[in-house]
Amino acid sequence: MEQQQHSNRRSFIRNVSLGSLAALSLPQIVSAAVKTSESESPARAKKLTLKKDAVIVFQGDSITDAGRKRDKMDPNDQGALGNGYAYLAAASLLTAYPEKNLKIYNKGVSGNKVYQLAERWDADCLQLKPDVLSILIGVNDYWHTLNGSYKGTVKTYREDLIKLLDRTKQALPEVQLIIGEPFAVNGVKAVDDKWFPTFNEYRVAAKEIATQFDAVFIPYQAIYDKAQQHAPGAYWTGDGVHPAIPGAGLMATSWVEMVKK
């Protein structure tokens, strides 16, 4: 019994230490990954400017959705923001900038690909008139081709996303765009070697499109890669795609770091 208690205590201390290391390292992980991404691209680093009464909309698939309640429509509503990175980023922003009266929405929908964003774009984006629009999309555009349920290619992804952003900028010429890099953590459940190198083409496309539209680009793949120097991939994501709690924290920290101080 005593030996078991000692073992449990060691496990507890190890887990707490691992969690503390990850938490303490978040800013360093984000900073290192962003610098790496910037060094690989001639595009200058961009930051967001948050004006008073700004409307912020998070868009994407299940990574953004994160269990949000669809029947709740008000901005800054805890249920409407889900329980993932969008909620954590919103919490940080609302805490840091109470004087700005920000209005933050999460409109991610589980399973979505780019063409499905387009189908609901008027109601879930344009009618909200966002000042800041954050889009993380692309993993399903590839993942769903692996089981034959979707026939799109990286060319489809690129063309659909460009068309969607053109439509957005025509309706909202002053909107500030954030494009999140699609990411996948190899060796964790759903993600294995068969994803690569094809999936990397979607990452490249997202970065090139961000440059084309003068958007802020968040290099989530590089961030997850750096994070694995501190803890294994399964610590950050449960299945290689969907963030675990620390992964959501990592993404939220990355997002908030893109706001101009």
Side-chain angles (χ1 to χ4, degrees), residues 109-220:
V109 172
S110 181
N112 268 192
K113 296 171 276 293
V114 179
Y115 82 87
Q116 291 162 315
L117 294 188
E119 291 173 347
R120 58 186 180 84
W121 208 238
D122 284 345
D124 284 355
C125 179
L126 301 184
Q127 289 178 16
L128 296 173
K129 295 182 168 52
D131 299 287
V132 176
L133 173 60
S134 175
I135 304 175
L136 172 57
I137 197 74
V139 69
N140 292 327
D141 295 76
Y142 177 69
W143 193 2
H144 291 182
T145 67
L146 296 179
N147 62 13
S149 65
Y150 180 59
K151 303 297 185 184
T153 65
V154 69
K155 181 174 183 289
T156 310
Y157 171 73
R158 184 186 292 273
E159 291 176 350
D160 285 355
L161 188 51
I162 289 172
K163 187 183 301 183
L164 186 69
L165 294 178
D166 275 334
R167 175 180 165 191
T168 303
K169 291 295 282 185
Q170 287 174 17
L172 304 167
E174 300 303 317
V175 69
Q176 296 181 84
L177 296 172
I178 293 185
I179 304 296
E181 180 182 31
F183 63 88
V185 179
N186 198 6
V188 183
K189 291 191 177 178
V191 181
D192 56 26
D193 287 343
K194 70 176 176 288
W195 281 58
F196 307 97
T198 305
F199 179 69
N200 293 335
E201 298 173 11
Y202 290 75
R203 296 173 43 223
V204 170
K207 188 169 188 176
E208 290 176 351
I209 291 168
T211 300
Q212 178 179 339
F213 284 86
D214 197 31
V216 174
F217 180 74
I218 305 183
Y220 286 128

Side-chain angles (χ1 to χ4, degrees), residues 65-79:
D65 183 329
R68 70 179 178 91
K69 297 186 183 304
R70 310 286 172 80
D71 59 340
K72 294 184 177 293
M73 308 297 290
D74 293 333
N76 307 343
D77 182 278
Q78 186 169 354

Side-chain angles (χ1 to χ4, degrees), residues 4-5 19 25 45 58 64 71 78 82-83 119 128 138 189 208 217 226 231 240 242 246 258-259:
Q4 182 180 357
Q5 288 176 339
S25 301
F58 287 88
T64 303
D71 59 340
Q78 186 169 354
N83 55 23
E119 291 173 347
L128 296 173
K189 291 191 177 178
E208 290 176 351
F217 180 74
K226 292 285 185 185
H242 297 93
M258 298 302 170
V259 176

